[in-house]
Amino acid sequence: MESLGVLLMLPLNPYLESELDRRCKLFRLWQIPKASRKDFLYANSPSIRALVGNSAVGADADIIDALPQLEIVVLYSVGFDKVDLAKCRSRGIRVTNTPDVLTDDVADLAIALSIATMRKICSADRYLRSAAWKTKGQYVFTSKTMPIVDVEMPLNKDEMSRRHKGVIFSGKTVGIIGLGRIGSAIAKRAEAFGCFICYHSRTEKANTTYKYYPDIISLAKECDVLVVACPLIAETQHIVDRKVIDALGSNGVLINIGRGSHVDEAELISALVEGRLGGAGLDVFEYEPHVPGILFSLDNVVLTPHVGSATVETRRAMADLVLRNLEAHVMNNPLLTPVL
Amino acid sequence: MADGSAKQGRNPRTVLLLRPTFEALEDVLAKRFHLLRAWESPLPLAEFLAAHATAIRALFIRGNGSVFVDAEILSSLPNLEIIVTNCVGLDLIDMAECAKRGVAVANAGNVLTEDVAEYAVGLLMDVLRRISSADRCIRAGLWPITGLFRLGSKIGGKRVGIVGLGHIGSEVAKRLDAFGCIISYYSRKQKPSFSYTFYPNARTLAAQNDVLIVCCALNSDTYHIIDKDVMDGLGKQGIIINVGRGALVDEKELVRRLMQGEIGGAGLDVFDNEPAVPRELFTMDKVVLSPHCAVYTQESFADLFQLIVDNLEAFFSNRPLVSKVTEV
């Protein structure tokens, strides 16, 4: 693969980067100042035959046009919404992603966010840590060192109850939008908690015992926890809108491990602030890495920075899959996980 | 019994409370029973008990922060027949003394089991996937600045050792099984109805696992069951989740290892010396902490209050207790 010119769109994984550097001719786009990128691409495009990106930075029409020798887009993600598939199709450019290897991690996170939100785990941890800066009820202002004191948990049962009482996740009704690999993995885990599973998707799935709702509003009305687990396509933009949020209601919890654009974020925020929605566990946002600050004061939300696949094990597996797809392409073997 | 009480003008459905409990629970109990609130009296406890001893057949004690019901208190209450507690744990009651005196104990039975089990799973997932840590970073406005966060660790494939495969332990196991964890356990007795691997003690359990989840009762046999040797066996990447009692773990040793990078992380709902929480823990990213609230859900409270009422009603109607503790 030494002669294979690979354009890496952003820093993804130190192991992947060093392997690409070692085995291919690696071009690191983010190291080129934006003003010089056009020239850089023009100068190097004769050798660039592969592009490695992810769900944040893929391959749009402009970059594809700038790379006349581009043969393959290899994604370090399962989402390919940032790849101009139509353009790739017309140019005969192959596209691969990393399905399956991250299914478990994303499904795990959906359940972890559900429990953290409903049981107020992060809120309790935050409460204890903030209490550490107090001495006997007074905040300690320091310059050089922060005197950390042993904290006393409140013994007043009613105060404990007010702050830390959540709602149980086990036995609740979990509604899943999109019953693909990730949605099914979420369902299997939720079932171990005694949850009742229902779902919405474009078409009803054969071979499941889960209850199907052709109408997403009815799903939202019925469930206690609504999980977004579908791909982002034109039809699923803002699939969770005001109507769905209202149907989910003041006792309902929304979990988003899909894409920020699946949810009308402005409507979500006003529903949370006004108490029309019970809570939310969010791994994705409309304008990452920007998270609306108004959420920071809420105890009924849990916020994670798009870490659905962020484990050492899975990122390694994703990196290996990227490398194996590249190898297969170079050897003219069948691609392991083609999208196109 | 009713006779004697009537003679002294005392209500036969009297329940003694030594400490305040949840207001909502007190309200519920006060509607149905005659509550004697020891803390409202100017008398020292011993005198208060002596003054009311004849009438007291039933005692309600709360958990965390309560009085330890010892031989002395029991001797002051010669007519005591039942103790009802809102806990599953019996570490605040001298059970041997109760057995000697024929005092029955009714605890929370199974109504809190799922709440605690899922909380233990939630703590483990938080530690492995760094959820509270990430949430903290976002709220500090750091995402746009730091970009990439430290990677977490995959849940599936982790070897999880359950310390105490009772009601709670088995519910924890059932859940983690679905994530692809490899479950094994140590319990006083082997449980053939479960297919998980049994280890004869906590040390051998720890040596074969990545995670220990402590779900057992606190008694003289289990004090510091998670000690230096167990932590040695668990190793530098090991994780301890404790939803039992603080004293099940050698807390000083655990804190030392966390500080020195000799253990991977911890999720702790309980502490050795509550209400104190060791100050060293607050600067650590690899721990998740909560103030003994693993049972705190709207559902558990509703079920628990109903169970307490049902036990007391059963007692005063001479019917069998609903959740009598039979095996200690």
Side-chain angles (χ1 to χ4, degrees):
Chain A
M1 289 208 285
E2 300 91 16
S3 62
L4 180 73
V6 178
L7 180 68
L8 183 54
M9 303 299 286
L10 71 166
L12 290 171
N13 176 318
Y15 159 74
L16 176 62
E17 200 177 311
S18 72
E19 284 296 290
L20 289 172
D21 202 21
R22 187 174 67 82
R23 299 167 63 179
C24 314
K25 199 168 172 221
L26 182 63
F27 299 91
R28 296 173 174 84
L29 185 64
W30 70 94
Q31 289 182 348
I32 312 297
K34 284 209 170 114
S36 325
R37 276 186 199 175
K38 212 164 158 199
D39 293 335
F40 169 82
L41 289 173
Y42 185 74
N44 293 292
S45 63
S47 22
I48 297 176
R49 291 157 51 208
L51 181 155
V52 176
N54 71 351
S55 55
V57 186
D60 60 15
D62 286 341
I63 198 102
I64 294 170
D65 282 337
L67 300 171
Q69 303 305 319
L70 188 63
E71 296 166 5
I72 185 166
V73 171
V74 187
L75 294 173
Y76 179 76
S77 63
V78 71
F80 44 83
D81 38 287
K82 291 279 166 64
V83 176
D84 189 331
L85 286 183
K87 187 107 198 165
C88 288
R89 206 174 275 119
S90 71
R91 280 266 305 266
I93 296 170
R94 306 299 307 272
V95 179
T96 66
N97 63 347
T98 57
D100 297 328
V101 288
L102 48 65
T103 299
D104 284 341
D105 268 4
V106 177
D108 291 349
L109 185 66
I111 303 294
L113 284 173
S114 302
I115 299 177
T117 305
M118 293 170 81
R119 299 301 305 271
K120 300 179 144 183
I121 294 181
C122 306
S123 156
D125 181 279
R126 196 161 52 241
Y127 167 76
L128 278 179
R129 283 175 204 256
S130 73
W133 309 121
K134 286 195 232 183
T135 335
K136 300 216 186 323
Q138 292 170 320
Y139 283 96
V140 178
F141 298 97
T142 64
S143 48
K144 288 174 193 165
T145 54
M146 281 287 224
I148 303 168
V149 300
D150 280 351
V151 167
E152 299 229 330
M153 298 180 204
L155 283 182
N156 179 310
K157 292 295 198 181
D158 288 307
E159 192 199 328
M160 281 283 288
S161 177
R162 198 175 38 85
R163 273 187 200 281
H164 303 298
K165 201 194 290 176
V167 291
I168 201 173
F169 170 69
S170 299
K172 289 289 165 66
T173 298
V174 175
I176 305 175
I177 303 172
L179 201 68
R181 294 178 209 99
I182 292 173
S184 304
I186 293 169
K188 176 178 149 213
R189 285 151 175 75
E191 280 189 303
F193 289 77
C195 291
F196 178 77
I197 311 294
C198 42
Y199 72 101
H200 168 75
S201 58
R202 272 175 302 185
T203 53
E204 188 168 2
K205 310 274 173 185
N207 303 325
T208 83
T209 50
Y210 308 139
K211 185 167 179 191
Y212 175 62
Y213 283 86
D215 163 41
I216 193 178
I217 307 277
S218 309
L219 178 73
K221 259 205 198 93
E222 198 54 38
C223 64
D224 302 301
V225 184
L226 183 64
V227 185
V228 183
C230 56
L232 183 68
I233 56 178
E235 292 80 9
T236 60
Q237 283 266 352
H238 283 196
I239 192 172
V240 177
D241 58 11
R242 167 132 193 173
K243 288 208 211 84
V244 172
I245 291 168
D246 282 344
L248 190 49
S250 57
N251 291 324
V253 170
L254 177 71
I255 303 297
N256 192 0
I257 44 92
R259 289 283 179 271
S261 308
H262 277 126
V263 175
D264 183 337
E265 198 162 277
E267 285 294 344
L268 172 65
I269 287 167
S270 45
L272 285 165
V273 166
E274 291 165 26
R276 287 182 288 112
L277 180 64
L282 308 169
D283 187 47
V284 287
F285 304 85
E286 275 201 278
Y287 305 104
E288 292 171 22
H290 176 68
V291 178
I294 197 167
L295 293 174
F296 301 169
S297 59
L298 299 178
D299 261 357
N300 57 344
V301 304
V302 174
L303 311 164
T304 52
H306 205 148
V307 292
S309 63
T311 64
V312 169
E313 297 87 342
T314 292
R315 290 288 168 85
R316 172 68 186 240
M318 285 163 64
D320 284 338
L321 192 48
V322 164
L323 293 166
R324 287 167 64 203
N325 272 305
L326 274 173
E327 278 164 18
H329 175 72
V330 160
M331 311 257 286
N332 258 317
N333 287 336
L335 298 175
L336 279 80
T337 47
V339 173
L340 211 54
Chain B
M1 184 183 54
D3 248 17
S5 320
K7 274 202 196 115
Q8 295 183 46
R10 295 202 193 272
N11 188 310
R13 286 161 60 94
T14 294
V15 180
L16 171 65
L17 272 67
L18 296 173
R19 286 273 190 281
T21 181
F22 302 99
E23 220 176 279
L25 177 59
E26 266 190 56
D27 287 345
V28 163
L29 293 178
K31 281 194 176 74
R32 294 164 173 270
F33 310 104
H34 171 65
L35 297 186
L36 264 182
R37 297 177 174 85
W39 67 92
E40 283 182 348
S41 165
L43 296 174
L45 184 63
E47 286 180 43
F48 176 84
L49 294 181
H52 295 271
T54 331
I56 296 170
R57 298 170 56 215
L59 165 66
F60 170 81
I61 72 154
R62 64 177 237 192
N64 200 12
S66 187
V67 173
F68 178 68
V69 180
D70 57 10
E72 201 183 318
I73 290 182
L74 290 167
S75 327
S76 334
L77 300 169
N79 290 340
L80 186 68
E81 293 173 52
I82 61 151
I83 300 174
V84 180
T85 171
N86 66 331
C87 295
V88 175
L90 304 166
D91 44 292
L92 288 171
I93 302 171
D94 187 334
M95 294 299 288
E97 281 294 325
C98 286
K100 259 201 325 213
R101 294 155 196 273
V103 176
V105 176
N107 69 349
N110 238 351
V111 298
L112 306 177
T113 298
E114 285 197 314
D115 309 81
V116 180
E118 90 176 11
Y119 203 85
V121 173
L123 283 176
L124 177 61
M125 292 204 284
D126 192 325
V127 173
L128 285 173
R129 296 298 299 269
R130 320 186 109 253
I131 294 175
S132 285
S133 171
D135 179 280
R136 253 196 313 280
C137 279
I138 292 186
R139 285 173 201 252
L142 293 175
W143 190 3
I145 299 167
T146 59
L148 299 172
F149 285 82
R150 210 174 131 186
L151 294 176
S153 185
K154 191 179 164 118
I155 294 164
K158 289 289 181 293
R159 300 168 303 160
V160 176
I162 314 275
V163 182
L165 198 69
H167 291 299
I168 295 171
S170 56
E171 289 292 322
V172 172
K174 181 175 107 182
R175 284 157 174 75
L176 288 177
D177 209 22
F179 290 83
C181 293
I182 299 155
I183 311 289
S184 55
Y185 70 102
Y186 158 66
S187 238
R188 265 179 314 188
K189 288 181 271 204
Q190 192 162 359
K191 316 246 169 165
S193 56
F194 293 102
S195 58
Y196 314 128
T197 303
F198 170 77
Y199 288 94
N201 57 57
R203 171 72 174 83
T204 53
L205 180 74
Q208 299 300 322
N209 281 287
D210 307 306
V211 176
L212 289 180
I213 305 192
V214 187
C215 306
C216 56
L218 176 65
N219 53 46
S220 50
D221 293 329
T222 59
Y223 176 78
H224 279 199
I225 190 173
I226 309 300
D227 61 8
K228 182 179 179 304
D229 286 341
V230 170
M231 292 186 220
D232 277 340
L234 193 58
K236 287 212 160 136
Q237 319 279 10
I239 291 172
I240 292 176
I241 305 295
N242 191 2
V243 291
R245 287 288 180 269
L248 290 165
V249 174
D250 182 344
E251 191 169 273
K252 277 202 174 63
E253 181 64 20
L254 175 62
V255 171
R256 188 193 68 73
R257 286 179 189 241
L258 285 164
M259 301 248 301
Q260 285 166 0
E262 289 171 26
I263 194 166
L268 307 171
D269 184 52
V270 287
F271 302 87
D272 209 356
N273 199 20
E274 289 173 23
V277 177
R279 65 188 71 185
E280 296 87 346
L281 297 175
F282 295 109
T283 55
M284 292 181 197
D285 241 15
K286 56 190 173 180
V287 302
V288 179
L289 310 167
S290 54
H292 202 149
C293 57
V295 304
Y296 277 60
T297 64
Q298 292 173 12
E299 294 84 355
S300 76
F301 273 46
D303 291 345
L304 182 60
F305 291 5
Q306 189 58 56
L307 180 63
I308 291 165
V309 166
D310 289 347
N311 273 304
L312 288 166
E313 287 288 0
F315 171 68
F316 287 118
S317 320
N318 286 320
R319 284 183 284 109
L321 296 176
V322 180
S323 55
K324 182 174 173 182
V325 176
T326 47
E327 199 199 287
V328 179

